[in-house]
Amino acid sequence: MWNKNIKIDSKLKFWLLDMKSLSYRIRSIAKLEIIPVKTRVSNIFVNEKKIFGNIKSEHLYLREVLIYANKLPIMYARTVLPSKYLRGFWHKIKKLNNKPLADIVFEKKMIIRSEFKFKKPSINDNFSKKIKMLDLKNTKILATRQSTFKNKNEKVVLTEVFFNNFEKFDYLDG
């Protein structure tokens, strides 16, 4: 169940509430590495489809990445948008490879980010199952957040899954 607020007792809360680029923030304090995950459109989740009016999976584009800081996996991020948007401004997403989505969404002041929705992990949710499939050793999900970025009338959804490795760093004070 997605909520507008999250109750979390760790320093991670400062990161979860940050509306700016987390990848730029991480890059300023650690060695940032973004690794694309092989994706298939059949892996798009029901709640993501609903954001676009229950559009069929084959009409959506999915980008998944793992984000590492100092060689530790700290986040999993997925971006979903209708494929037809790839013909316009959002075509840049296909060329990101190992670069952050921030390179697109924070470059234009006209792009509006929505408020966040948060989700606590559960063993059976889609994100937990996906992370388990990635076989990351000693990695647990602490929280998940979701927001949309809108350029004119075209929006993309970004879901970020935060791992326990975030807590191994000294830079969590916000």
Side-chain angles (χ1 to χ4, degrees):
M1 178 100 139
W2 292 95
N3 296 300
K4 289 189 182 226
N5 298 307
I6 189 161
K7 289 181 171 62
I8 194 160
D9 291 334
S10 75
K11 294 177 183 178
L12 179 64
K13 189 167 188 168
F14 294 108
W15 289 83
L16 288 171
L17 300 176
D18 192 340
M19 294 290 282
K20 297 185 202 120
S21 168
L22 295 187
S23 53
Y24 290 173
R25 189 171 161 194
I26 293 162
R27 187 187 290 156
S28 72
I29 49 184
K31 183 183 182 299
L32 176 75
E33 192 177 1
I34 296 174
I35 313 242
V37 174
K38 197 169 194 160
T39 62
R40 289 189 309 222
V41 292
S42 60
N43 293 337
I44 295 172
F45 304 146
V46 173
N47 84 302
E48 293 166 329
K49 288 184 209 174
K50 283 183 180 174
I51 291 169
F52 301 106
N54 269 331
I55 192 167
K56 292 181 181 174
S57 292
E58 59 265 24
H59 298 287
L60 291 169
Y61 177 79
L62 170 65
R63 176 183 186 247
E64 297 175 288
V65 296
L66 281 170
I67 301 169
Y68 289 77
N70 295 342
K71 304 234 183 258
L72 286 172
I74 58 167
M75 287 174 67
Y76 160 80
R78 55 191 285 130
T79 308
V80 178
L81 65 150
S83 298
K84 65 183 179 182
Y85 293 175
L86 296 172
R87 291 187 287 259
F89 171 80
W90 296 109
H91 80 279
K92 299 172 187 177
I93 286 178
K94 285 183 98 168
K95 297 179 180 161
L96 282 174
N97 296 321
N98 60 348
K99 294 185 178 100
L101 181 65
D103 286 0
I104 295 173
V105 297
F106 292 108
E107 76 176 17
K108 253 180 111 176
K109 292 194 187 312
M110 293 170 38
I111 294 179
I112 300 164
R113 187 177 205 169
S114 71
E115 295 293 318
F116 294 119
K117 293 188 300 184
F118 301 97
K119 185 177 191 149
K120 288 233 177 181
S122 86
I123 295 169
N124 292 321
D125 76 17
N126 289 328
F127 299 104
S128 296
K129 289 176 185 174
K130 179 67 182 180
I131 300 309
K132 196 173 194 171
M133 285 173 38
L134 296 173
D135 201 29
L136 302 169
K137 305 286 183 252
N138 303 315
T139 301
K140 291 183 177 60
I141 297 173
L142 296 179
T144 302
R145 77 175 188 181
Q146 191 172 76
S147 62
T148 59
F149 290 95
K150 194 171 182 182
N151 180 49
K152 298 179 180 159
N153 286 328
E154 299 178 342
K155 67 181 167 187
V156 302
V157 61
L158 171 66
T159 307
E160 299 157 298
V161 180
F162 294 77
F163 301 147
N164 57 320
N165 289 331
F166 247 105
E167 297 183 332
K168 293 183 179 170
F169 291 90
D170 296 334
Y171 55 73
L172 291 172
D173 296 287

